[in-house]
Amino acid sequence: MSFQIAIDGPAGAGKSTVAKRVAAELGFIYVDTGAMYRAMGLYFLDNGVDTDDEAAVNASLDGAEVTLEIVDGNQVVFLNGKDVNGRIRTEEAGMMASKTSAYAENRKKLVAMQQKIAASQNVVMDGRDIGTVVLPDAPLKIYLTASTRTRAERRYKELLEKGQEADLAAIEKDIEQRDYQDMHREHSPLRRADDAVLVDSSDLNIDEVVQKIVTYAKEKM
Ligand code: C5P
């Protein structure tokens, strides 16, 4: 039987950093489901799919093959055989992912892949609906959040460190818009599962959050 840790929460709460570290400490595989929605977002962009038109999005889905590979312990995402790991990190890909992840058929395709990955190996999986929809029976569920300002500042620093241009006010606005879209959509809106542990990382550093989650996991394993 595999063991699953589901980590959900809003954009920029530190989910991927934390999930990656927790997975490394426990020897689990880390699965970043947001990267899969981002890769689909890129597919729609690259192919000029009108993403206001749900039927057009649905009709295009079969042309996109998203696959994950673990290279040197890190997840690499491929879209139709091409490595898109760098391209999925732009704000444009994030907004496109948020918009098109509202469509049920797009979600269905990716959720099936995610469930298959988690069925056969120990995983730390992060996203928006992991504890509520993808892995409702996961033995450990975490809802990781932080204030909007804290999250915007973190993403701002991340972009600057990568040498990219960044505008703090614009990032905060994007985060608010993305949260609103993710929490108010009809299908699988972002919400804390009833049995998820709430962790607010506003006043905790990464080590503290990681240790908290590893401790919970060891209690349950
Ligand atoms: O986590 P990340 O910011 O990379 O996710 C990009 C977008 O993908 C989110 O804003 C959300 O709309 C969508 N997403 C989702 N369900 C998931 C993971 C991500 O709807 N499990």
Side-chain angles (χ1 to χ4, degrees):
M1 264 287 278
S2 57
F3 188 96
Q4 298 117 5
I5 302 176
I7 303 183
D8 291 300
K15 293 188 301 293
S16 57
T17 310
V18 165
K20 217 181 279 175
R21 294 259 312 262
V22 169
E25 281 213 21
L26 295 171
F28 286 18
I29 292 193
Y30 164 55
V31 184
D32 172 0
T33 63
M36 298 160 89
Y37 288 94
R38 286 168 180 266
M40 287 305 294
L42 278 185
Y43 169 78
F44 302 130
L45 272 175
D46 290 351
N47 290 281
V49 177
D50 176 4
T51 53
D52 289 324
D53 180 350
E54 185 170 354
V57 168
N58 290 348
S60 76
L61 288 176
D62 282 346
E65 198 199 7
V66 175
T67 46
L68 304 182
E69 260 180 49
I70 309 291
V71 179
D72 297 333
N74 290 313
Q75 173 182 290
V76 180
V77 186
F78 293 85
L79 172 62
N80 291 336
K82 277 210 188 101
D83 177 346
V84 288
N85 240 32
R87 287 186 66 213
I88 57 172
R89 290 298 148 207
T90 58
E91 290 299 307
E92 190 188 28
M95 285 310 282
M96 196 49 136
S98 181
K99 182 175 180 190
T100 54
S101 65
Y103 296 139
E105 287 300 311
N106 187 26
R107 303 200 66 82
K108 204 166 117 191
K109 176 180 168 117
L110 298 183
V111 167
M113 272 185 69
Q114 293 154 10
Q115 289 173 332
K116 204 166 149 201
I117 295 170
S120 57
Q121 47 207 340
N122 295 336
V123 293
V124 180
M125 191 173 276
D126 78 356
R128 303 293 188 289
D129 60 339
I130 311 305
T132 53
V133 176
V134 181
L135 305 173
D137 299 324
L140 179 60
K141 299 179 186 177
I142 305 289
Y143 190 83
L144 184 63
T145 189
S147 70
T148 312
R149 187 25 88 103
T150 307
R151 292 187 282 130
E153 283 170 354
R154 287 179 187 161
R155 191 139 287 190
Y156 176 72
K157 276 195 205 140
E158 225 175 76
L159 290 171
L160 290 190
E161 276 162 18
K162 282 189 202 149
Q164 293 178 21
E165 273 183 40
D167 171 345
L168 183 60
I171 291 172
E172 190 167 5
K173 219 172 120 228
D174 269 7
I175 283 183
E176 279 169 359
Q177 190 187 336
R178 210 130 70 79
D179 285 354
Y180 186 88
Q181 278 173 197
D182 292 349
M183 290 174 178
H184 292 84
R185 65 187 178 209
E186 183 187 352
H187 304 291
S188 312
L190 169 64
R191 68 169 184 86
R192 176 184 167 191
D194 297 333
D195 52 350
V197 183
L198 177 71
V199 178
D200 186 326
S201 73
S202 304
D203 300 312
L204 296 174
N205 65 36
I206 291 170
D207 281 338
E208 291 168 321
V209 177
V210 170
Q211 285 324 312
K212 223 182 222 281
I213 298 175
V214 167
T215 304
Y216 288 132
K218 287 187 173 159
E219 282 168 11
K220 304 238 178 195
M221 277 161 70

